[in-house]
Amino acid sequence: GENVEQHPSTLSVQEGDSAVIKCTYSDSASNYFPWYKQELGKGPQLIIDIRSNVGEKKDQRIAVTLNKTAKHFSLHITETQPEDSAVYFCAARGDTGRRALTFGSGTRLQVQP
Amino acid sequence: NAGVTQTPKFRVLKTGQSMTLLCAQDMNHEYMYWYRQDPGMGLRLIHYSVGEGTTAKGEVPDGYNVSRLKKQNFLLGLESAAPSQTSVYFCASSYSVGNEQFFGPGTRLTVL
């Protein structure tokens, strides 16, 4: 089955700096890669996703890049703000078998004011 | 529009007790999922359902059972709770397998 690895596990940045979180996946047939943000005491919420037919997608201060050859994808947050502090999860969905999402282990982002 | 709701929010069980977690969604989604979240391990899929009356095993199904008798409800059962089942449980739903999953607020379960 699919295996998703996520790094780093914790990330601390100064307000206004950029933050980058990286994930690798094992199943070359995976074709859908969402990113979720989880605030304290709440369920995860989708912030951006990318499909295998594109290499990059942007939405205001967040962007995701995908390298299918290397089987990795990354989340980029620019001009970070204290409200960006949360746990971020990447995920991948394969195209065969269960076709359910496999999540990474999460990155705790702390934005220092 | 409540989205995805979970009942209860907190529960403490003794080893060997049973309980049922209820998930309800009002978005008319076909797909529903149960995950458990443990520190440093992300979200792991327990069971899922692709429609009313259907269920399937996920990554960590042992010790759990599920039922989807109505499209809007997905129940997760623990027949004989064990301390290893102490976790935060999240339910999610989606229109289809390739669409956004909407998560509930979670249930924190402690098994003593």
Side-chain angles (χ1 to χ4, degrees):
Chain A
E2 177 68 274
N3 183 47
V4 177
E5 296 197 357
Q6 183 173 346
H7 300 281
S9 57
T10 60
L11 179 60
S12 181
V13 300
Q14 292 293 317
E15 182 177 357
D17 288 350
S18 295
V20 180
I21 303 170
K22 299 181 179 182
C23 290
T24 61
Y25 61 97
S26 61
D27 186 355
S28 58
S30 289
N31 57 12
Y32 176 60
F33 307 91
W35 285 88
Y36 285 81
K37 176 183 180 182
Q38 185 178 26
E39 296 177 342
L40 194 61
K42 297 184 178 181
Q45 186 171 13
L46 180 74
I47 55 171
I48 195 168
D49 57 13
I50 191 168
R51 300 182 189 273
S52 60
N53 57 342
V54 296
E56 184 176 2
K57 184 177 179 180
K58 288 184 180 180
D59 183 4
Q60 299 183 348
R61 295 187 298 109
I62 61 173
V64 57
T65 58
L66 171 64
N67 183 328
K68 286 221 73 182
T69 302
K71 290 190 284 188
H72 67 70
F73 56 113
S74 301
L75 177 71
H76 304 252
I77 306 174
T78 59
E79 300 174 17
T80 53
Q81 301 168 3
E83 52 264 38
D84 294 329
S85 296
V87 178
Y88 292 81
F89 292 97
C90 63
R93 190 206 74 184
D95 199 36
T96 58
R98 189 186 302 138
R99 300 186 76 209
L101 290 177
T102 299
F103 284 83
S105 55
T107 296
R108 182 174 298 278
L109 173 64
Q110 183 70 42
V111 179
Q112 307 288 345
Chain B
N1 214 0
V4 180
T5 58
Q6 292 183 232
T7 309
K9 288 184 171 52
F10 304 93
R11 186 73 186 268
V12 178
L13 291 179
K14 293 181 180 178
T15 297
Q17 287 185 318
S18 64
M19 78 163 293
T20 300
L21 282 68
L22 172 63
C23 176
Q25 53 96 2
D26 61 2
M27 296 174 282
N28 202 34
H29 285 166
E30 290 291 337
Y31 288 69
M32 296 188 75
Y33 315 82
W34 275 108
Y35 293 91
R36 59 177 290 172
Q37 184 175 38
D38 302 294
M41 301 188 74
L43 293 147
R44 292 184 292 168
L45 183 66
I46 304 171
H47 287 280
Y48 66 105
S49 168
V50 301
E52 181 180 322
T54 71
T55 63
K57 293 181 180 180
E59 182 184 354
V60 289
D62 294 343
Y64 305 95
N65 57 76
V66 288
S67 64
R68 182 100 182 266
L69 299 180
K70 293 182 179 181
K71 185 176 183 178
Q72 63 267 33
N73 295 337
F74 195 29
L75 278 63
L76 177 71
L78 286 72
E79 292 184 345
S80 180
S84 60
Q85 294 178 303
T86 293
S87 188
V88 181
Y89 291 86
F90 287 98
C91 175
S93 72
S94 65
Y95 178 72
S96 75
V97 70
N99 290 92
E100 176 181 358
Q101 290 188 18
F102 292 83
F103 283 80
T107 295
R108 183 174 295 276
L109 175 66
T110 301
V111 183
L112 303 175

